[in-house]
Amino acid sequence: GAVVSQHPSWVICKSGTSVKIECRSLDFQATTMFWYRQFPKQSLMLMATSNEGSKATYEQGVEKDKFLINHASLTLSTLTVTSAHPEDSSFYICSEIFMGGSYNEQFFGPGTRLTVL
Amino acid sequence: GNSVTQMEGPVTLSEEAFLTINCTYTATGYPSLFWYVQYPGEGLQLLLKATKADDKGSNKGFEATYRKETTSFHLEKGSVQVSDSAVYFCALQTDSWGKFQFGAGTQVVVTP
C-alpha cells in the first residue's frame, strides 16, 4: 500500500504558539489529503479535505483560521495549529486517497501527537 | 445521514479465544465498508474491506462479510493472539471523493 509520513511524530509547545504538522505522500502523488483529529479513546473526526492547489474544505465546526491547511504540492500537505491552546492537544492524523476501481482507499499517516502546555 | 455503530469496548479476551466485533451502518446508496486497526501510538492501518453486498473481506485471520439485508459488517477472528490487542474501527465510504465515516472504535485486549 501507499506510504504516508507525518512530521513530527510528537510535539510539545507552549500555549499561544503555532505548530506546523507535515503530511507527505512518499510513493504517489496525492491530489486529495484528509486531516483528522482523534481525542483519547475516541474515533477520528474529519477536520478538512486538503486539495492540491486550492483552498481546503473544512468540516462544520472546524475553525479555518485556527487550523490552517496548505497543500502546495502533490506530495505535501501541512496543518498549522495557530495560537495553540491546551484544548488543541490531540492526535492529528492525515490520510491520502488512492483512486482505484470501485472504491477509493485511504492510507493513513502514523499521526502526530500534539501537547499544548 | 451516514453513520456507523460499533459495539463498545473494551473487549477483553484470553489468547486463542474467538473474537466478534459488531458493526452496523446507516447509509444512502451502496457504501464500501472497511475495518481499520490502530495499534497504540500509531495511525490507522487497513485490515480488510468489502465493496459490495455479500463480499467477504479477510486478512490476517480476520473476516467480515458485507450484509446488506442487516446493514452489518461484523468482524470476526477464530483465535486471537496477544498481538491483536488494538483498537478496531469500522468505517464506510459513500463519497466518491473519499470521505470516510468512522465508528467510535472498539478496544480489544488479549491476555496471555
Side-chain angles (χ1 to χ4, degrees):
Chain A
V3 179
V4 180
S5 71
Q6 282 185 239
H7 178 80
S9 56
W10 59 269
V11 57
I12 301 172
C13 70
K14 293 182 179 180
S15 186
T17 60
S18 294
V19 175
K20 180 184 285 188
I21 302 170
E22 293 184 348
C23 177
R24 290 184 184 274
S25 171
L26 298 183
D27 54 1
F28 77 94
Q29 295 176 334
T31 56
T32 300
M33 290 185 175
F34 295 96
W35 285 96
Y36 293 86
R37 181 174 181 178
Q38 185 182 28
F39 292 99
K41 299 184 179 181
Q42 294 188 29
S43 189
L44 282 73
M45 181 192 78
L46 179 64
M47 299 175 65
T49 304
S50 171
N51 300 298
E52 188 267 337
S54 63
K55 291 183 178 180
T57 303
Y58 290 82
E59 296 299 302
Q60 192 173 8
V62 177
E63 299 176 61
K64 61 179 69 176
D65 294 330
K66 182 164 186 63
F67 298 100
L68 300 178
I69 292 173
N70 183 277
H71 194 157
S73 77
L74 289 171
T75 58
L76 174 65
S77 176
T78 61
L79 168 68
T80 301
V81 183
T82 62
S83 187
H85 289 94
E87 57 265 30
D88 299 324
S89 298
S90 192
F91 196 52
Y92 292 88
I93 303 175
C94 71
S95 71
E96 62 182 20
I97 290 291
F98 176 77
M99 305 285 190
S102 60
Y103 70 95
N104 300 323
E105 185 168 346
Q106 285 203 42
F107 295 96
F108 289 85
T112 297
R113 184 161 302 284
L114 170 63
T115 301
V116 184
L117 303 176
Chain B
N2 300 329
S3 67
V4 178
T5 302
Q6 286 181 239
M7 61 188 289
E8 288 189 21
V11 175
T12 303
L13 303 164
S14 297
E15 207 164 20
E16 298 184 1
F18 184 87
L19 170 68
T20 298
I21 304 176
N22 289 341
C23 171
T24 57
Y25 68 89
T26 302
T28 54
Y30 302 94
S32 296
L33 301 174
F34 303 80
W35 276 100
Y36 282 85
V37 59
Q38 185 179 34
Y39 298 102
E42 298 183 14
L44 272 67
Q45 300 174 28
L46 177 64
L47 183 59
L48 52 83
K49 61 183 182 289
T51 58
K52 60 183 186 298
D54 299 325
D55 269 2
K56 176 186 283 189
S58 61
N59 185 26
K60 299 180 181 179
F62 290 89
E63 291 184 342
T65 301
Y66 189 140
R67 300 287 187 199
K68 187 171 184 296
E69 63 276 13
T70 55
T71 62
S72 65
F73 193 54
H74 305 322
L75 182 68
E76 298 181 336
K77 185 173 185 180
S79 177
V80 294
Q81 305 299 313
V82 173
S83 57
D84 293 324
S85 298
V87 180
Y88 293 81
F89 292 92
C90 185
L92 67 81
Q93 181 192 61
T94 58
D95 188 327
S96 61
W97 289 106
K99 280 188 182 180
F100 273 51
Q101 184 76 40
F102 285 91
T106 302
Q107 183 179 12
V108 173
V109 178
V110 181
T111 59

